[in-house]
Amino acid sequence: MLLIIYEVLGAVVAAALGLVGPLVPALRCGLAERFGGRPADWWPPAAGGDAPAETVWIHAASVGEVRAAAPLVGELLRRRPGARVLVSTFTASGRRVAARTLADGEPRVRCLLLPLDWGWIPARVIRRERPALFILLETELWPVLLTSLRRARVPVLIANGRISPRSFGRYRLMRGALRPVLEAITLALVRTTEDAGRYRHIGLAASRVRVAGNLKHAARHGGDLAGERRRDAIRERLGVAAGRTVLVAGSVRGAESDLVLAAFRRLRETDPALLLVLAPRHPERFDAEKLGAWPGSWVRWSSAPRAIPPETAVVVLDTLGELADFYASAAVACVGGTWGEHGGHNLLEPAYHGVPVVFGPDIDQVEDEGRALLAAGGGFQAGDADAVFERCRTLLADPRARAAAGRGALAVAATFSGAVETVADAAGDILDGPGRTP
């Protein structure tokens, strides 16, 4: 019954999008892809009677999942040089980041918006692209798409699988309706043992669930020459190469920006040249009036000059998908989502660069990483603006202590790596399994 209701709602959404989409610029962009069309810049057809290249379809919902998918895409292409990777995203912002960071200059990667999960549309795309494997990041259980993949005998691998406590309650109520959807899943590689238990409770066989860690903790920076060039350019532009000290506050949400700015005002009294890179979790919602304390001395990154002037106090990072590279310029990093009821954001992104991490008390979603950073001396918990000021002031004033904390953070980050190899191994086993050719 629930699946019938889902199909009916899907028909309503498809009809509305088809009628209204062409009239609304924000919806018109990518509308053809939503209905199963190909972008103009696609792979050329196979020559003569040649079989098409082995295609791995990876779905990464939004910007965060695209960043997590990046090292996996690189590893799959390294291991299977004759393959190609199709990356779909649910959001337009995710597609833009995927095109810039994954497909630009890489002819084996193409990007598109996820087709509507209704009717004939997913099956049409599957028939056309003929994927050998579908990899689903996180847990977006699209019923029509997954059922169509099962009918087409395309194996489905979940990577970075996670079911939050809130979603778990909802999925348990829908357990009967989920059964045909779960039958499509060949293997679920999940983040934690808690996630594994939740997958089993909603009906996925224990033999098809395995703990593999978190792709977002992948050490994706080593050997990435293009990424290192990006980071060098950021350092140059911020003035780090000339000796300027930078504090990066990443993924801050709502009132967390007030907390960071309050601490930064006091830090500037001890170091007037200190530069803050403020990265709101949702740049479009950021209230620039909060920066009135520095009239004329703050700038948005998207419109900043090639070299940030010495008098600039704050740079607002208003572009998506770049925060991980900015952490490489930081002397100290503050990670948001930890001073409210959000559960925390990625604490290890700055740690991979050997940067000490300051965060708040709310780390429900990243508790393992937070506790490990605290134990290693690479992370520091600060409950309010005064505590953030004191911790940052101490680290910024003592280069030796800061370097030691950075080494501790880097050591912790290394212990959380390895998920990319695990997922790539599983993908290879499925692709090379019985009845399949590499």
Side-chain angles (χ1 to χ4, degrees):
M1 186 64 179
L2 286 175
L3 291 179
I4 294 174
I5 295 173
Y6 181 86
E7 283 276 15
V8 172
L9 291 175
V12 173
V13 171
L17 192 58
L19 292 171
V20 178
L23 306 176
V24 181
L27 296 177
R28 187 165 60 241
C29 181
L31 186 61
E33 295 173 36
R34 295 293 193 194
F35 281 92
R38 276 179 170 172
D41 179 20
W42 205 244
W43 290 297
D50 293 345
E54 175 185 78
T55 300
V56 177
W57 181 355
I58 299 178
H59 178 61
S62 191
V63 173
E65 289 73 33
V66 169
R67 296 289 300 186
L72 176 60
V73 171
E75 183 66 12
L76 289 173
L77 292 177
R78 185 188 69 80
R79 295 188 183 196
R80 310 179 79 87
R84 60 189 188 183
V85 176
L86 165 61
V87 178
S88 64
T89 67
F90 182 75
T91 66
S93 59
R95 190 196 188 289
R96 288 192 294 271
V97 171
R100 185 179 72 243
T101 61
L102 302 180
D104 188 22
E106 176 48 78
R108 294 173 293 172
V109 177
R110 291 292 185 271
C111 306
L112 84 165
L113 290 168
L114 183 72
L116 285 173
D117 195 50
W118 173 77
W120 45 266
I121 296 175
R124 175 190 179 190
V125 177
I126 293 166
R127 284 195 304 270
R128 185 187 67 212
E129 303 303 333
R130 297 173 58 187
L133 174 65
F134 181 83
I135 301 178
L136 178 66
L137 264 66
E138 309 272 332
T139 305
E140 285 198 352
L141 299 179
W142 297 101
V144 180
L145 173 60
L146 290 175
T147 302
S148 300
L149 288 163
R150 178 172 58 82
R151 289 172 180 163
R153 299 188 178 182
V154 178
V156 174
L157 173 64
I158 289 182
N160 241 36
R162 176 178 177 269
I163 299 179
S164 68
R166 180 182 301 176
S167 298
F168 179 51
R170 186 167 63 249
Y171 284 150
R172 288 182 70 181
L173 293 175
M174 300 168 55
R175 179 170 174 164
L178 285 175
R179 188 175 297 112
V181 177
L182 295 175
E183 287 176 358
I185 298 171
T186 306
L187 178 65
L189 298 178
V190 303
R191 296 186 188 185
T192 67
T193 54
E194 289 81 5
D195 290 312
R198 289 169 184 157
Y199 268 92
R200 290 193 295 268
H201 273 95
I202 67 171
L204 190 61
S207 60
R208 289 189 281 157
V209 183
R210 192 185 310 164
V211 177
N214 193 337
L215 283 174
K216 292 182 179 180
H217 296 157
R220 55 180 170 266
H221 306 296
D224 179 4
L225 296 180
E228 194 54 47
R229 285 194 292 270
R230 289 196 307 270
R231 291 185 281 276
D232 284 344
I234 291 170
R235 293 185 190 100
E236 185 73 27
R237 195 171 169 189
L238 293 177
V240 176
R244 191 168 193 188
T245 303
V246 175
L247 172 69
V248 174
S251 297
V252 294
R253 306 177 64 147
E256 290 182 329
S257 59
D258 298 318
L259 179 149
V260 169
L261 289 168
F264 179 64
R265 287 189 186 93
R266 298 175 64 186
L267 290 168
R268 284 274 291 187
E269 294 173 1
T270 61
D271 181 2
L274 182 65
L275 177 66
L276 171 67
V277 173
L278 183 66
R281 181 72 172 178
H282 302 287
E284 71 282 1
R285 303 178 193 171
F286 179 69
D287 181 5
E289 292 184 3
K290 295 179 178 183
L291 298 172
W294 292 283
S297 61
W298 69 274
V299 66
R300 298 182 191 276
W301 181 250
S302 61
S303 57
R306 291 178 63 87
I308 303 298
E311 62 270 18
T312 299
V314 181
V315 173
V316 177
L317 181 56
D318 59 342
T319 56
L320 296 174
E322 295 190 88
L323 177 57
D325 290 328
F326 271 80
Y327 280 132
S329 297
V332 177
C334 299
V335 177
T338 61
W339 285 283
E341 297 181 356
H342 305 295
H345 294 303
N346 195 336
L347 300 178
L348 296 188
E349 278 190 326
Y352 279 120
H353 296 290
V355 175
V357 187
V358 178
F359 51 91
D362 183 15
I363 57 171
D364 289 350
Q365 305 292 346
V366 287
E367 186 171 7
D368 291 343
E369 300 92 314
R371 299 303 173 204
L373 285 168
L374 291 171
F380 306 88
Q381 215 157 18
D384 55 23
D386 289 339
V388 171
F389 162 71
E390 290 294 345
R391 177 53 60 188
C392 290
R393 181 183 63 82
T394 300
L395 288 167
L396 292 170
D398 189 342
R400 293 182 64 181
R402 187 168 71 244
R407 289 192 294 272
L410 185 60
V412 169
T415 66
F416 279 86
S417 300
V420 169
E421 289 73 17
T422 302
V423 175
D425 287 344
D429 290 343
I430 293 171
L431 289 166
D432 297 333
R436 297 185 178 271
T437 56

